[in-house]
Amino acid sequence: MAADVPDARSESDLPIKAVYDAGDLEGFDPQEQLGEPGQFPYTRGVYPNMYTGRPWTMRQYAGFGTAKESNERYHELVANGTGGLSVAFDLPTQMGYDSDEAIASGEVGKVGVAIDSIDDMRTLFGGLPLGELSTSMTINAPAATLLLMYQLVAEENGADPSKLAGTIQNDVLKEYIARGTYIYPPKESLRLISDIFAYCHKELPRWNTISISGYHMAEAGATPAQEIAFTLANAKEYVRAAQAAGLDVDDFAPRLSFFFVARTTLLEEVAKFRAARRIWARVMRDEFRAKNPKSQMLRFHTQTAGVQLTAQQPEVNLVRVALQGLGAVLGGTQSLHTNSFDEAIALPTQKAARLALRTQQIIAYETDVTKTVDPFAGSYVVEAMTDDVEAAALDLIQAVEDRGGAVAAIEQGFQKSEIERSAYRIALEIDNKERTVVGLNRFALDEEEPYEPLRVDPQIEHDQRERLAALRADRDNEAVERALEAVREAARGTDNLLYPMREALRLRATGGEVSHALRDVWGVYIPHETF
């Protein structure tokens, strides 16, 4: 009998019962814990109609090699029905270095597109209707630089800045925890982020100023409960930093957005998304006294779990991605990127990227999950799991607060060590075959079918260096240096940094030069030994 079956364990290492019934919802108050869709505490979604009116924004994450190659891929994606673009930048760009610096050697164009100057940004978005598209840029420490380049190019193309829509990731705290592409010390990083909030409130009111990310922590091994706990703890730190800079919570909080992963464990993922909305709504209303309902809404982008894709039998990843995408939709995401089946091997081919987009379109137009809001509301198992994930996440958020908040906990290595412990547990379970990964530790093939991945041309780095040399020979270098000194002066004081940065970039200063101007004043972050 089912009652004799022992409990399974969730990704968050919480018990999953073989059978749930009404007793598991004892004391459950639908009005208090669910409310109506589009109303506090937003458990059932941030909009009353959700996908019954229109589907989520279908994004595809792209960017590789040169700006010209990436531009060609964007045109293809738009032609195939993509409503939002997501830009991947190469590591030198993410770290605030130009392609011709020694430290960039061997990495130019490898994991994303190389953007060194406004010239590259013009090429990247050439011929695209930026006033109509929503563009998400995965950039953190130099987020202000790439945002300003985008604004300048959009204005050149006739777009109204007040109508530009998109998101910069701009979440540096998670870089100290899980990813490592930080530049400046945390205090200075928070100052720059607050300046971005203030700048966008005035200049780019439709732009999402930050995408507070649990995705990368999840890819590093965080459980669902850890993912939302550490993400929301970081979000609280950003809110406090903005308030300390004199901003009113309701002036910037409506433009905060979040970024989560979607795993194949569909039920817990749905519960995770619902729990995250409920926690954030109460944090913003009760702790930060936000009065605008939009300040209390947790709006998020989702990307399917790259870490769960396998190089073995890569076509099987199509099934994984479909389930992951379905979980994100059932959980109420506002936008979604579905990974290509070949991303465990290399950058995706055109065919694989198109299939990934078609996966979203099938969920949106061939299933019935978009015909009703929050289909799992009232489910014994999902409501119980939502409560369980919420309770576990709240415990972890409190543990961060007990250590002095997200920055202090980062400096103590708390979040990183918790994630590493979970990652080690999962790795052991896979090695011991306690956790099945189809095609890897079960149902493997004796011989894999041949697959030809997309390869990045090493000529890209040489060409990018030549373009930089030509740029520096052609521009007014004295004017550029004066503009960079204005950036340094603002960094020494309290003026909003984005205005002198914008002028320097308009004069064709490179992204690396702007980052170096800030390094001159702020220095760089050296992690503690606990890391």
Side-chain angles (χ1 to χ4, degrees):
M1 294 179 61
D4 298 325
V5 177
D7 289 346
R9 307 296 294 183
S10 74
E11 292 286 299
S12 297
D13 204 26
L14 301 170
I16 301 179
K17 296 173 63 174
V19 175
Y20 286 80
D21 57 30
D24 293 292
L25 299 184
E26 188 175 350
F28 179 76
D29 183 347
Q31 191 57 42
E32 174 69 19
Q33 290 167 271
L34 298 185
E36 297 297 323
Q39 295 182 19
F40 188 91
Y42 306 104
T43 310
R44 301 199 63 192
V46 293
Y47 302 122
N49 298 327
M50 289 304 290
Y51 313 129
T52 60
R54 64 181 179 87
W56 58 94
T57 299
M58 298 182 192
R59 295 192 183 279
Q60 285 307 107
Y61 188 46
F64 59 95
T66 67
K68 183 177 183 295
E69 289 175 306
S70 295
N71 176 263
E72 291 168 357
R73 176 66 61 87
Y74 291 149
H75 277 279
E76 181 183 356
L77 289 170
V78 170
N80 278 301
T82 296
L85 300 175
S86 293
V87 187
F89 298 97
D90 71 355
L91 278 175
T93 303
Q94 293 180 49
M95 297 294 292
Y97 294 109
D98 291 329
S99 297
D100 60 355
E101 296 189 54
I103 197 170
S105 180
E107 292 294 341
V108 175
K110 285 289 179 66
V111 298
V113 62
I115 299 295
D116 291 315
S117 71
I118 190 173
D119 293 16
D120 290 332
M121 191 67 85
R122 290 184 184 115
T123 302
L124 182 64
F125 289 107
L128 292 165
L130 299 186
E132 301 170 20
L133 291 171
S134 172
T135 302
S136 175
M137 293 188 279
T138 303
I139 194 71
N140 294 283
T145 303
L146 277 299
L147 172 63
L148 292 167
M149 288 184 191
Y150 184 88
Q151 179 190 355
L152 289 166
V153 169
E155 288 177 339
E156 289 174 356
N157 293 341
D160 181 349
S162 68
K163 296 180 180 178
L164 286 179
T167 303
I168 43 173
Q169 193 163 103
N170 194 28
D171 175 13
V172 179
L173 291 182
K174 66 95 173 48
E175 299 295 324
Y176 302 110
I177 295 172
R179 197 161 167 270
T181 65
Y182 48 77
I183 301 174
Y184 319 111
K187 179 181 176 183
E188 285 73 16
S189 293
L190 288 173
R191 184 264 175 97
L192 184 53
I193 288 167
S194 297
D195 281 357
I196 291 170
F197 288 173
Y199 178 87
C200 289
H201 177 64
K202 182 177 180 181
E203 307 286 346
L204 302 169
R206 290 191 61 202
W207 199 269
N208 295 318
T209 52
I210 193 167
S211 178
I212 308 164
S213 175
Y215 182 88
H216 305 91
M217 291 186 275
E219 293 283 281
T223 68
Q226 289 172 337
E227 178 192 356
I228 62 171
F230 296 149
T231 302
L232 299 185
N234 286 349
K236 291 174 68 173
E237 197 85 352
Y238 293 130
V239 173
R240 291 185 185 120
Q243 289 182 318
L247 301 178
D248 182 86
V249 65
D250 285 320
D251 282 344
F252 66 86
R255 303 315 304 173
L256 301 179
S257 65
F258 294 80
F259 176 23
F260 295 117
V261 78
R263 302 169 179 82
T264 52
T265 44
L266 189 147
L267 295 178
E268 189 180 17
E269 291 300 284
V270 172
K272 176 193 76 178
F273 295 131
R274 300 168 89 248
R277 277 194 295 270
R278 193 155 72 201
I279 293 170
W280 187 242
R282 290 172 177 161
V283 163
M284 292 305 290
R285 184 191 69 177
D286 300 340
E287 292 188 36
F288 292 111
R289 307 300 180 195
K291 295 180 175 58
N292 185 343
K294 290 184 178 179
S295 300
Q296 303 166 6
M297 294 179 184
L298 184 143
R299 297 169 302 111
F300 64 95
H301 169 69
T302 308
Q303 182 172 336
T304 55
V307 74
Q308 290 188 319
L309 303 186
T310 62
Q312 297 83 1
Q313 301 180 46
E315 292 85 355
V316 176
N317 293 327
L318 284 165
V319 182
R320 292 188 176 102
V321 169
L323 289 171
Q324 293 163 355
L326 179 61
V329 171
L330 290 170
T333 192
Q334 275 59 71
S335 65
L336 176 62
H337 163 81
T338 36
N339 288 329
S340 301
F341 73 87
D342 52 359
E343 287 189 42
I345 303 169
L347 288 167
T349 60
Q350 286 188 337
K351 180 179 181 181
R354 185 169 59 250
L355 285 170
L357 177 60
R358 294 289 182 256
T359 301
Q360 293 199 51
Q361 292 165 337
I362 288 171
I363 295 171
Y365 301 112
E366 292 193 20
T367 76
D368 57 3
V369 300
T370 59
K371 292 180 170 59
T372 187
V373 176
D374 190 23
F376 279 143
S379 157
Y380 294 143
V381 60
V382 170
E383 297 298 359
M385 291 178 78
T386 301
D387 289 348
D388 288 346
V389 172
E390 179 184 23
L394 286 171
D395 285 346
L396 284 166
I397 292 171
Q398 188 58 51
V400 172
E401 294 291 292
D402 291 344
R403 287 163 174 79
V407 169
I410 286 168
E411 291 174 341
Q412 296 166 44
F414 173 67
Q415 300 97 317
K416 192 170 187 290
S417 65
E418 290 292 302
I419 291 169
E420 287 171 349
R421 190 176 298 114
S422 298
Y424 182 65
R425 170 177 61 84
I426 291 169
L428 282 181
E429 290 173 0
I430 293 172
D431 288 346
N432 296 333
K433 297 188 177 180
E434 297 168 9
R435 174 188 294 259
T436 295
V437 180
V438 173
L440 180 65
N441 62 4
R442 288 188 70 188
F443 314 114
L445 296 176
D446 293 333
E447 185 176 337
E448 290 287 334
E449 297 175 4
Y451 174 80
E452 184 60 35
L454 181 72
R455 301 188 186 280
V456 176
D457 186 349
Q459 181 69 22
I460 287 169
E461 183 172 332
H462 175 267
D463 292 346
Q464 198 69 11
R465 286 171 176 267
E466 287 197 339
R467 275 190 287 273
L468 277 166
L471 176 144
R472 292 190 173 103
D474 182 59
R475 70 187 184 183
D476 185 340
N477 286 300
E478 290 185 3
V480 168
E481 182 48 45
R482 287 195 297 271
L484 291 172
E485 182 54 36
V487 173
R488 295 184 192 98
E489 188 61 30
R492 294 184 191 104
T494 59
D495 290 347
N496 192 304
L497 281 157
L498 273 76
Y499 292 96
M501 289 172 67
R502 184 177 68 186
E503 178 61 13
L505 294 165
R506 186 186 67 79
L507 293 168
R508 300 170 78 197
T510 67
E513 288 167 343
V514 171
S515 292
H516 284 309
L518 294 177
R519 285 184 181 96
D520 291 343
V521 179
W522 292 344
V524 297
Y525 182 66
I526 306 299
H528 288 228
E529 289 184 4
T530 53
F531 277 49

